[in-house]
């Protein structure tokens, strides 16, 4: 299978190249040239353990990897999950399900994609013999999941910038206590935006990028989307057959990545009830669904920090389908949006999406009411999914993180202190980080010092 850019000005590439490149050379995002109809596979796939289902699904897409290699990569990627079901589906009520996506090494759903991506990178290095330097900036969960995905891998050095003093106690520990020699957490003096800017400038230096084999770890990699489609399929197959076509997936969303992965699965012959976009107070996507106006606002910190985003980078993938695969139109919309910060669409709401917005106050009272009604503690991101459930049942709410990652919000809401064994162990470990100025020069000097060229 070949992959095309949403902007239509780069040649199609195979799976492994699309994964290695991340962003297409024309600035677009990769998507399958044609989506397969997989509806004939349902009886074959029902009842498969998670890794087997993941392998069977990805085999349809990773057609330039030998089957045996892909099978090993997938098996290794989900071995690190602590629940035997990998993504267990809990039933809270007759028509209310919760898909637990927090049993990976960093207790958030990003492990599903980044464990796999880490192993795909390793395979690429083995094949090409070229070591890589992974550089990223994080405001929390992505950096931790990327580090866990690449930890100790031969030929990979990983540098993650984070704004010192602006991420949570546990998030910082997840990044700085790995003990691995190939992991360099860079504590930047400044904000996340300062870190992001320094990162962009470092990537823009093409000579340096090529010299060290710089690679981005971000939310737009094709492999991340496809890896996430799998848990929608897994959950859908676990539902009683008569409920499948009426069940809505409720997805706490920031970047549009997670919900897009589900929507894409729905385009492959599976009949799914619908998709609900649940935002926090940073509600750019909610406003889009309600009004057709895609308009970026100012990010205001919330108690669901991993969704504090105002530009949903994966939205471009949906836009490509929404415009009838018109790459010229995609370029036009993205250019107008980049220039003015907004774009108005006609008829946006007709595409099966619904949406809601949860304030910090809503989040707190939802955590309380789910706890008292169902005896279940949801994390602040997952809580956003419960804002507007009337009319959405039957539904599956995606539980994107473990409540123990956000102890302050939980304590404030219900007075309880949720615990997770892996986080308890972290509290005792020493922090190892590298304070650095937020500039291209500082980053480049540091990287060159640490790697053997
Ligand atoms: C990243 C993240 C989200 C948002 O996911 P998107 O793919 O950006 O929509 C939601 N919840 C948690 C816990 C996250 O880490």
């Amino acid at each position: 299978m070949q992959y095309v850019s949403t902007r239509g000005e780069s040649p199609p590439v195979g799976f492994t190249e699309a994964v290695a490149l991340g962003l297409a050379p024309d600035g677009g995002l990769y998507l399958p040239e044609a989506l397969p109809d997989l509806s004939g596979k349902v009886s074959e796939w029902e009842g498969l353990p998670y890794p087997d289902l993941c392998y069977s699904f990805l085999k349809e897409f990773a057609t330039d990897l030998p089957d045996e290699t892909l099978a090993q990569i997938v098996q290794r990627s989900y071995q690190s999950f602590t629940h035997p079901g990998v993504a267990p589906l809990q039933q809270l009520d007759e028509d209310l399900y919760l898909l637990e996506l927090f049993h990976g090494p960093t207790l958030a759903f990003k492990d599903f994609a980044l464990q796999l991506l880490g192993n795909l990178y390793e395979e690429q290095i083995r094949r090409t013999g070229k070591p890589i330097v992974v550089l990223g900036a994080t405001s929390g969960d992505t950096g931790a999941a990327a580090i866990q995905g690449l930890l100790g891998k031969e030929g990979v050095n990983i540098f993650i910038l984070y704004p010192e003093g602006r991420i949570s106690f546990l998030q910082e520990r997840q990044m700085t206590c790995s003990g691995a020699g190939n992991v360099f957490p860079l504590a930047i003096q400044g904000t996340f935006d300062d870190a992001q800017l320094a990162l962009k400038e470092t990537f823009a230096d093409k000579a340096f990028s090529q010299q060290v084999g710089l690679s981005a770890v971000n939310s737009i990699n094709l492999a991340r989307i496809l890896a996430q489609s799998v848990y929608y399929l897994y959950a859908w197959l676990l539902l009683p057959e008569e409920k499948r076509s009426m069940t809505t997936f409720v997805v706490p969303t920031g970047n549009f990545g997670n919900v897009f992965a589900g929507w894409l699965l729905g385009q492959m012959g599976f009949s799914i009830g619908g998709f609900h976009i649940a935002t926090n107070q940073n509600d750019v996507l909610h406003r889009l669904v309600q009004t057709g106006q895609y308009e970026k606002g100012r990010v205001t910190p919330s108690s669901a920090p991993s969704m504090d985003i105002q530009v949903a980078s994966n939205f471009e993938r949906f836009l490509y389908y929404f415009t009838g695969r018109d790459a010229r139109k995609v370029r036009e919309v993205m250019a107008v949006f980049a220039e003015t910060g907004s774009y108005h669409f006609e008829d946006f709401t007709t595409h099966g999406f619904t949406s809601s917005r949860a304030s910090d106050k809503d989040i707190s009272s939802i955590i309380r009411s789910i706890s008292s009604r169902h005896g279940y503690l949801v994390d602040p991101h997952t809580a956003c999914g419960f804002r507007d459930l009337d009319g959405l049942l039957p539904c599956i709410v995606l539980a994107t993180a473990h409540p123990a990652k956000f102890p302050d919000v939980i304590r404030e809401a219900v007075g309880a202190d949720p615990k997770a064994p892996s986080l308890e162990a972290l509290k005792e470990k020493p922090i190892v980080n590298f304070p650095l100025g937020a500039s291209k020069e500082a980053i480049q000097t540091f990287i060159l010092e640490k790697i053997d060229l």
Side-chain angles (χ1 to χ4, degrees):
M1 182 176 297
Q2 293 290 102
Y3 294 85
V4 296
S5 165
T6 49
R7 301 203 185 170
E9 296 186 313
S10 297
V13 295
F15 176 80
T16 50
E17 192 171 356
V19 171
L21 285 172
L23 199 66
D26 62 5
L29 311 185
Y30 284 114
L31 282 167
E33 195 161 48
L35 291 175
D37 181 348
L38 300 175
S39 53
K41 301 277 191 184
V42 171
S43 54
E44 188 186 322
W45 286 355
E46 271 174 332
L48 285 184
Y50 193 93
D52 298 4
L53 179 69
C54 182
Y55 165 69
S56 305
F57 178 79
L58 291 180
K59 202 154 92 73
E60 305 285 330
F61 297 92
T63 48
D64 59 358
L65 269 181
D67 285 356
E68 185 57 25
T69 308
L70 179 65
Q72 284 169 6
I73 287 175
V74 170
Q75 288 298 337
R76 232 178 307 138
S77 300
Y78 297 101
Q79 247 163 31
S80 53
F81 283 60
T82 54
H83 193 287
V86 180
L89 187 66
Q90 307 288 357
Q91 189 166 15
L92 295 189
D93 218 332
E94 172 75 20
D95 279 330
L96 177 58
Y97 297 84
L98 203 67
L99 184 63
E100 291 182 348
L101 300 176
F102 51 70
H103 296 289
T106 71
L107 310 183
F109 81 90
K110 292 189 173 76
D111 289 325
F112 279 84
L114 287 164
Q115 287 290 307
L116 185 83
L117 192 61
N119 289 317
L120 285 168
Y121 275 147
E122 188 177 43
E123 162 61 20
Q124 179 203 326
I125 293 162
R126 204 189 50 71
R127 207 176 47 242
T128 62
K130 276 196 234 150
I132 59 170
V133 165
V134 169
L135 178 63
T138 186
S139 55
D141 288 336
T142 303
I147 285 171
Q148 286 299 321
L150 293 165
L151 195 81
K153 296 232 184 292
E154 191 92 26
V156 187
N157 281 297
I158 173 161
F159 299 82
I160 298 288
L161 310 170
Y162 71 93
E164 181 150 47
R166 293 173 198 249
I167 66 172
S168 83
F169 173 83
L170 288 170
Q171 285 175 326
E172 181 169 32
R173 279 194 159 51
Q174 282 191 320
M175 289 197 282
T176 58
C177 300
S178 72
N182 70 333
V183 171
F184 303 95
L186 306 178
I188 292 291
Q189 305 306 311
T191 64
F192 174 64
D193 290 341
D194 298 332
Q196 193 88 45
L197 189 66
L199 179 90
K200 269 201 184 135
E201 288 174 0
T202 308
F203 273 100
D205 185 339
K206 289 280 185 296
F208 177 80
S209 298
Q210 296 222 320
Q211 184 193 1
V212 303
L214 209 58
S215 181
V217 46
N218 49 30
S219 63
I220 49 86
N221 199 291
L222 170 77
R224 287 185 68 169
I225 300 293
L226 294 174
Q228 291 177 188
S229 297
V230 177
Y231 51 68
Y232 287 90
L233 177 59
Y234 183 70
W236 187 84
L237 288 169
L238 285 174
L239 287 172
E241 203 178 329
E242 69 279 5
K243 275 192 189 171
R244 288 178 186 161
S245 65
M246 18 178 223
T247 298
T248 296
F249 283 96
V250 179
V251 190
T253 301
N255 227 329
F256 206 73
N258 199 0
V259 73
F260 177 76
W263 181 84
L264 196 66
L265 180 79
Q267 303 302 301
M268 300 179 197
F270 302 102
S271 168
I272 295 171
F275 292 92
H276 182 85
I277 293 170
T279 73
N280 64 19
Q281 66 198 15
N282 294 295
D283 60 350
V284 57
L285 289 169
H286 174 55
R287 284 181 283 119
L288 170 68
V289 171
Q290 300 303 316
T291 67
Q293 181 82 12
Y294 184 47
E295 184 168 20
K296 118 179 137 180
R298 185 135 32 93
V299 174
T300 51
S302 79
S303 47
S306 299
M307 288 157 46
D308 289 346
I309 287 171
Q310 285 285 6
V311 179
S313 40
N314 269 294
F315 175 65
E316 179 167 343
R317 286 195 158 102
F318 177 67
L319 185 60
Y320 180 73
Y321 291 106
F322 171 72
T323 58
R325 308 179 60 118
D326 182 348
R328 202 186 44 79
K329 183 76 184 167
V330 172
R331 292 200 298 275
E332 181 200 311
V333 173
M334 295 315 292
V336 171
F337 184 73
E339 195 169 313
T340 65
S342 76
Y343 193 92
H344 187 77
F345 297 96
E346 308 294 331
D347 291 344
F348 182 82
T349 50
T350 57
H351 287 258
F353 284 102
T354 51
S355 72
S356 58
R357 168 198 200 273
S359 66
D360 278 359
K361 224 171 116 206
D362 295 331
I363 288 173
S364 184
S365 72
I366 288 166
I367 293 172
R368 228 173 358 260
S369 78
I370 301 298
S371 165
S372 71
R373 204 172 327 148
H374 303 289
Y376 191 99
L377 269 185
V378 290
D379 101 288
H381 303 81
T382 307
C384 296
F386 290 83
R387 174 66 180 74
D388 248 358
L389 282 190
D390 295 343
L392 290 179
L393 302 173
C395 73
I396 297 175
V397 179
L398 269 53
T400 54
H402 192 289
K405 277 195 104 166
F406 305 94
D408 299 345
V409 185
I410 304 289
R411 201 175 307 119
E412 187 268 325
V414 292
D417 233 339
K419 293 229 164 26
S422 67
L423 293 180
E424 290 308 303
L426 274 183
K427 290 178 186 168
E428 308 302 321
K429 289 193 184 166
I431 282 193
V432 179
N433 66 6
F434 303 87
L436 203 71
S439 76
K440 177 182 95 170
E441 290 71 25
I443 294 169
Q444 291 181 337
T445 307
F446 186 86
I447 291 177
L448 289 173
E449 253 170 44
K450 295 294 173 193
I451 63 173
D452 297 324
L453 280 177

